[in-house]
PDB file of all heavy atoms in Angstrom:
ATOM      1  N   THR A   8     -41.405  40.708  24.283  1.00  0.00           N
ATOM      2  CA  THR A   8     -40.726  42.047  24.574  1.00  0.00           C
ATOM      3  C   THR A   8     -40.110  42.082  25.976  1.00  0.00           C
ATOM      4  O   THR A   8     -39.076  42.631  26.129  1.00  0.00           O
ATOM      5  CB  THR A   8     -41.803  43.121  24.379  1.00  0.00           C
ATOM      6  OG1 THR A   8     -42.411  43.026  23.115  1.00  0.00           O
ATOM      7  CG2 THR A   8     -41.215  44.548  24.631  1.00  0.00           C
ATOM      8  N   ALA A   9     -40.890  41.511  26.941  1.00  0.00           N
ATOM      9  CA  ALA A   9     -40.388  41.525  28.306  1.00  0.00           C
ATOM     10  C   ALA A   9     -39.122  40.774  28.471  1.00  0.00           C
ATOM     11  O   ALA A   9     -38.133  41.152  29.093  1.00  0.00           O
ATOM     12  CB  ALA A   9     -41.434  40.910  29.251  1.00  0.00           C
ATOM     13  N   THR A  10     -39.035  39.577  27.760  1.00  0.00           N
ATOM     14  CA  THR A  10     -37.820  38.788  27.816  1.00  0.00           C
ATOM     15  C   THR A  10     -36.596  39.460  27.178  1.00  0.00           C
ATOM     16  O   THR A  10     -35.508  39.512  27.726  1.00  0.00           O
ATOM     17  CB  THR A  10     -38.066  37.388  27.048  1.00  0.00           C
ATOM     18  OG1 THR A  10     -39.173  36.736  27.669  1.00  0.00           O
ATOM     19  CG2 THR A  10     -36.841  36.502  27.189  1.00  0.00           C
ATOM     20  N   ALA A  11     -36.827  40.092  26.018  1.00  0.00           N
ATOM     21  CA  ALA A  11     -35.742  40.838  25.385  1.00  0.00           C
ATOM     22  C   ALA A  11     -35.268  41.963  26.202  1.00  0.00           C
ATOM     23  O   ALA A  11     -34.057  42.184  26.399  1.00  0.00           O
ATOM     24  CB  ALA A  11     -36.242  41.329  24.000  1.00  0.00           C
ATOM     25  N   THR A  12     -36.236  42.676  26.812  1.00  0.00           N
ATOM     26  CA  THR A  12     -35.782  43.772  27.708  1.00  0.00           C
ATOM     27  C   THR A  12     -35.045  43.301  28.924  1.00  0.00           C
ATOM     28  O   THR A  12     -34.065  43.875  29.316  1.00  0.00           O
ATOM     29  CB  THR A  12     -37.062  44.489  28.155  1.00  0.00           C
ATOM     30  OG1 THR A  12     -37.838  44.915  27.052  1.00  0.00           O
ATOM     31  CG2 THR A  12     -36.722  45.705  29.007  1.00  0.00           C
ATOM     32  N   ALA A  13     -35.482  42.144  29.497  1.00  0.00           N
ATOM     33  CA  ALA A  13     -34.776  41.570  30.630  1.00  0.00           C
ATOM     34  C   ALA A  13     -33.411  41.120  30.286  1.00  0.00           C
ATOM     35  O   ALA A  13     -32.429  41.329  31.110  1.00  0.00           O
ATOM     36  CB  ALA A  13     -35.566  40.345  31.139  1.00  0.00           C
ATOM     37  N   VAL A  14     -33.224  40.524  29.137  1.00  0.00           N
ATOM     38  CA  VAL A  14     -31.857  40.082  28.737  1.00  0.00           C
ATOM     39  C   VAL A  14     -30.904  41.334  28.562  1.00  0.00           C
ATOM     40  O   VAL A  14     -29.798  41.325  28.934  1.00  0.00           O
ATOM     41  CB  VAL A  14     -31.924  39.215  27.388  1.00  0.00           C
ATOM     42  CG1 VAL A  14     -30.512  38.984  26.888  1.00  0.00           C
ATOM     43  CG2 VAL A  14     -32.605  37.994  27.721  1.00  0.00           C
ATOM     44  N   GLU A  15     -31.483  42.323  27.931  1.00  0.00           N
ATOM     45  CA  GLU A  15     -30.716  43.540  27.677  1.00  0.00           C
ATOM     46  C   GLU A  15     -30.345  44.168  29.000  1.00  0.00           C
ATOM     47  O   GLU A  15     -29.234  44.617  29.237  1.00  0.00           O
ATOM     48  CB  GLU A  15     -31.513  44.575  26.801  1.00  0.00           C
ATOM     49  CG  GLU A  15     -30.677  45.840  26.492  1.00  0.00           C
ATOM     50  CD  GLU A  15     -31.467  46.773  25.616  1.00  0.00           C
ATOM     51  OE1 GLU A  15     -32.547  46.356  25.179  1.00  0.00           O
ATOM     52  OE2 GLU A  15     -30.985  47.904  25.265  1.00  0.00           O
ATOM     53  N   ALA A  16     -31.288  44.239  29.880  1.00  0.00           N
ATOM     54  CA  ALA A  16     -31.048  44.791  31.163  1.00  0.00           C
ATOM     55  C   ALA A  16     -29.962  43.973  31.973  1.00  0.00           C
ATOM     56  O   ALA A  16     -29.105  44.442  32.662  1.00  0.00           O
ATOM     57  CB  ALA A  16     -32.372  44.898  32.061  1.00  0.00           C
ATOM     58  N   ALA A  17     -30.093  42.634  31.788  1.00  0.00           N
ATOM     59  CA  ALA A  17     -29.148  41.732  32.423  1.00  0.00           C
ATOM     60  C   ALA A  17     -27.755  42.011  31.959  1.00  0.00           C
ATOM     61  O   ALA A  17     -26.796  42.033  32.732  1.00  0.00           O
ATOM     62  CB  ALA A  17     -29.558  40.288  32.255  1.00  0.00           C
ATOM     63  N   SER A  18     -27.584  42.117  30.731  1.00  0.00           N
ATOM     64  CA  SER A  18     -26.244  42.402  30.131  1.00  0.00           C
ATOM     65  C   SER A  18     -25.642  43.678  30.712  1.00  0.00           C
ATOM     66  O   SER A  18     -24.505  43.758  31.088  1.00  0.00           O
ATOM     67  CB  SER A  18     -26.296  42.502  28.637  1.00  0.00           C
ATOM     68  OG  SER A  18     -26.792  41.292  28.136  1.00  0.00           O
ATOM     69  N   THR A  19     -26.560  44.722  30.689  1.00  0.00           N
ATOM     70  CA  THR A  19     -25.982  46.010  31.215  1.00  0.00           C
ATOM     71  C   THR A  19     -25.701  45.921  32.723  1.00  0.00           C
ATOM     72  O   THR A  19     -24.677  46.384  33.155  1.00  0.00           O
ATOM     73  CB  THR A  19     -27.085  47.072  31.011  1.00  0.00           C
ATOM     74  OG1 THR A  19     -27.476  47.131  29.681  1.00  0.00           O
ATOM     75  CG2 THR A  19     -26.650  48.404  31.480  1.00  0.00           C
ATOM     76  N   ALA A  20     -26.494  45.166  33.454  1.00  0.00           N
ATOM     77  CA  ALA A  20     -26.309  44.934  34.882  1.00  0.00           C
ATOM     78  C   ALA A  20     -25.003  44.151  35.152  1.00  0.00           C
ATOM     79  O   ALA A  20     -24.280  44.451  36.064  1.00  0.00           O
ATOM     80  CB  ALA A  20     -27.421  44.158  35.523  1.00  0.00           C
ATOM     81  N   ALA A  21     -24.754  43.169  34.330  1.00  0.00           N
ATOM     82  CA  ALA A  21     -23.537  42.339  34.448  1.00  0.00           C
ATOM     83  C   ALA A  21     -22.321  43.249  34.298  1.00  0.00           C
ATOM     84  O   ALA A  21     -21.301  43.169  35.028  1.00  0.00           O
ATOM     85  CB  ALA A  21     -23.501  41.264  33.511  1.00  0.00           C
TER      86      ALA A  21
END
Side-chain angles (χ1 to χ4, degrees):
T8 303
T10 302
T12 305
V14 171
E15 182 179 358
S18 300
T19 305

